[in-house]
Every structure is written in structure tokens, then in C-alpha cells.
Amino acid sequence: MKPLLLLGGGGHCHAAVDVIEAGTVYQIVGVVQPSVAGSAPVLGYPVVGTDDDLSALLAETPRALVTIGQIKSPATRIRLFELLKSHGAEIPVIKSPSSYCSPHAELGEGCILMHGALINANAHVGENCIVNSQALIEHDAEIGAHCHISTGSRVNGGVRIGTGCFIGSGAILREGIEVGNGAIIGAGQVVLQDVEAGKTVSNHRD
């Protein structure tokens, strides 16, 4: 099995660990955290260093995955992904054995497909994306880099989603619409028309 470092040890990391352990390709060797002092193991895997230690860590384990989650902003995931790229790291695509990705679809490096995710033919998913549990990306959809397609969401055929977007749990996007860069679609939203860049679509009331 191929050794793999994980960057970030929070909740999304826990889910990513479960996906990686379900497969037979990668073996987690440790977790990189902002601070090592007092850091407990993450689901049994040791915290092996901080971002400042990446050069030395990648010299021994040249393969790593960003396992920080994304809700309101993709900024931390983007920063860590670009940090790995600057060190020349190999950033694999991770697929749960219970996910399905059409052989006619394309996934950018650093993507993770969680349990039950489905990506259909001629879909294109950019680098460093999370396609979470039971999410659906239908035929001919285009997902920009650094997006999070949340649990149970439905991205229908021909939808175009820009860079750094968040699609909330259970959201449904009508076929053919466009979602601009940095948009946030709240949980359970049914989106029937284009969404401007940077806009939040939500029924939530503060």
C-alpha cells in the first residue's frame, strides 16, 4: 500500500480516514496539524508535525491529501493544496469503494469521493474537491476547483459550478444552471435558476 500523509485532523479528516481505510491503495502514516503540542492521535494515527515540517515529512512520504473540511470558505483548503503543490507533493484522488465514478468522467487531483457518491458520464470535477457521502453529480456537469458538494446533494445534468463553491446537504440544482465562483447554496435548497458569483442562497434566518 502507498504511504499517505493527511493535512488536518478534524471532523472531515475522520470521515476521510474511514474512506481511505475502506480501500486497499493507501496507508495513512500520520496527520499534519497546525500545532503538535498536546495533539492526541487522530483515530489512532499519530500527529507527525506541522505545516512548517512539510518539507522534511514529504521527503520521506511524498504523497499527501488535504483533509480540512469546507463550509463557508475554501481558503484553508486552497492554501494547503497550494502548499503541497509548492513542495512537489503527489496529491492523489481518493475514492470510496462504495462510490461510483464513470470511466468517462474526469476528476482533478486531490479530490475525494466519499461513501455512496456517484459521478456520471462526461462530468468534470476540478482539483481539491470534496464529493461527500451520497452526493450525485450527473452527466455533463462541470464542477470548478476547491468545491464541496455536500452529503446527499443533487447536481443535475449540465450544471456548471464555479471555483470555491459550497453546495449544502440535500440541495438540488436544476439541470443546465450556472453557479458562480464562491457561491454558497444552503442545505435543502432547490435551485432553479443561475446563481451569481459570491451569492448565498439560503432560507436560514439569523
Side-chain angles (χ1 to χ4, degrees):
M1 296 175 75
K2 301 176 181 179
L4 179 68
L5 290 169
L6 305 182
L7 271 63
H12 176 63
C13 179
H14 296 167
V17 165
D18 196 69
V19 168
I20 294 162
E21 288 182 338
T24 59
V25 179
Y26 299 101
Q27 174 62 50
I28 300 164
V29 299
V31 178
V32 180
Q33 292 258 65
S35 174
V36 173
S39 293
V42 178
L43 299 184
Y45 296 103
V47 175
V48 294
T50 71
D51 296 355
D52 293 335
D53 302 313
L54 267 180
S55 182
L57 291 168
L58 290 169
E60 294 186 2
T61 306
R63 189 176 297 106
L65 183 73
V66 178
T67 50
I68 292 284
Q70 172 187 335
I71 299 180
K72 291 185 177 180
S73 170
T76 300
R77 284 185 57 85
I78 293 172
R79 179 182 66 81
L80 292 174
F81 183 82
E82 292 179 347
L83 184 60
L84 287 176
K85 294 287 284 184
S86 73
H87 284 289
E90 177 186 338
I91 311 174
V93 171
I94 302 292
K95 301 176 185 177
S96 165
S98 67
S99 68
Y100 175 77
C101 182
S102 167
H104 303 289
E106 294 183 359
L107 300 179
E109 64 180 337
C111 288
I112 184 166
L113 305 188
M114 311 299 278
H115 300 311
L118 191 157
I119 299 181
N120 221 326
N122 204 41
H124 300 263
V125 180
E127 62 190 13
N128 195 35
C129 287
I130 301 167
V131 183
N132 221 321
S133 305
Q134 298 185 340
L136 168 67
I137 298 175
E138 260 297 351
H139 64 85
D140 303 295
E142 296 184 13
I143 313 297
H146 315 297
C147 289
H148 182 174
I149 311 301
S150 293
T151 53
S153 54
R154 300 291 181 259
V155 177
N156 281 297
V159 168
R160 297 177 64 185
I161 296 175
T163 299
C165 293
F166 176 82
I167 310 300
S169 294
I172 300 173
L173 277 61
R174 194 196 72 185
E175 68 278 0
I177 66 169
E178 296 190 16
V179 177
N181 296 339
I184 297 173
I185 308 300
Q189 297 298 299
V190 177
V191 184
L192 302 177
Q193 58 190 5
D194 294 351
V195 177
E196 296 176 0
K199 185 174 181 179
T200 298
V201 178
S202 177
N203 290 329
H204 178 70
R205 296 291 184 267
D206 292 328

